Amino acid sequence: MTASLPRQATSPDEPDRPPEDRRHVIRRRALTLLIIVLLIGVPAGYLVISANQSRDSGKDKEAKYSATGLTEGWPSKVQRRLYQVPIPHPSNQVAYYETNNWKTSRLYAQFQTTQAGLDEFLAGIGVDRADLKKGEITISARDQEVTGWKFTGPGSRPGDDFGIVHEQKKPMPTLDVVVNTGNAVYPFVYVVSRTVP
């Protein structure tokens, strides 16, 4: 024989509740279902949206880093500081390209500036106009091929180009610079900055 547990008596202060009617039961269950859907659905929706944004961001980065050749625009301040390429203001036709591997990192940059801007750039890398060598193309054929720069050929005149290789103590970068003075008012500057990680 099993013993039955005594039932707890209802409190005399609490009135007896009438049984729920069908409409009230349906409303309570609908509210419960809505709360469950919100507790599960909102975070799940957020995860789906976040994953799509992350995937799109990855595709953008992949496109950016798989690009070859120069990209129009200014390198970031971090890139300019790291590679020591102080592009002066005002400058136009600014473009850059960065490559990285386990051996060497390079920043390719070009810009057209004023005569004062050229002096500012040269001072920023620690040289001056007297250090430039007339007719020197200091940017290698390999680097010219990467960027599409052509310093010889149709339209280029001997004597328009001045170059310098500015070597610094490691880990500071080495800068190969070519200045084209074909436009006497607005010289064009080409820079390849190499650093060994």
Side-chain angles (χ1 to χ4, degrees):
M1 200 159 179
T2 59
S4 62
L5 295 174
R7 243 182 121 180
Q8 184 175 354
T10 58
S11 169
D13 298 336
E14 267 185 47
D16 286 338
R17 282 196 285 176
E20 286 183 290
D21 65 345
R22 181 152 178 74
R23 220 172 46 181
H24 195 265
V25 170
I26 292 171
R27 186 181 302 148
R28 186 172 45 81
R29 287 182 180 167
L31 185 60
T32 304
L33 181 63
L34 177 64
I35 290 170
I36 291 170
V37 166
L38 289 175
L39 287 174
I40 295 172
V42 170
Y46 175 78
L47 287 174
V48 168
I49 291 169
S50 180
N52 284 335
Q53 288 175 341
S54 178
R55 187 182 66 217
D56 292 344
S57 173
K59 286 180 182 176
D60 293 345
K61 286 179 183 173
E62 181 182 353
K64 177 182 173 186
Y65 292 116
S66 67
T68 55
L70 297 169
T71 301
E72 185 177 337
W74 289 64
S76 69
K77 287 182 180 178
V78 172
Q79 288 172 313
R80 285 180 273 164
R81 187 171 51 248
L82 177 68
Y83 290 100
Q84 296 183 359
V85 179
I87 300 174
H89 290 278
S91 290
N92 64 10
Q93 298 188 49
V94 180
Y96 73 97
Y97 180 57
E98 182 180 15
T99 62
N100 297 295
N101 62 37
W102 63 274
K103 197 169 160 188
T104 307
S105 295
R106 286 181 173 84
L107 178 70
Y108 302 86
Q110 70 175 41
F111 57 92
Q112 187 173 32
T113 189
T114 61
Q115 292 292 336
L118 175 60
D119 290 333
E120 182 184 332
F121 166 75
L122 293 173
I125 66 170
V127 298
D128 60 29
R129 286 182 191 246
D131 296 318
L132 296 173
K133 295 181 179 74
K134 188 172 185 168
E136 288 282 319
I137 305 299
T138 54
I139 295 175
S140 71
R142 175 208 174 275
D143 289 336
Q144 290 178 45
E145 188 176 318
V146 167
T147 57
W149 294 333
K150 294 189 182 353
F151 298 109
T152 57
S156 93
R157 296 187 322 229
D160 285 346
D161 295 316
F162 295 79
I164 185 172
V165 175
H166 181 56
E167 292 188 44
Q168 303 178 87
K169 188 175 179 183
K170 288 187 175 22
M172 299 189 27
T174 297
L175 285 87
D176 301 331
V177 179
V178 172
V179 178
N180 182 282
T181 58
N183 182 331
V185 180
Y186 299 108
F188 215 98
V189 180
Y190 304 88
V191 185
V192 178
S193 177
R194 299 185 312 274
T195 184
V196 178

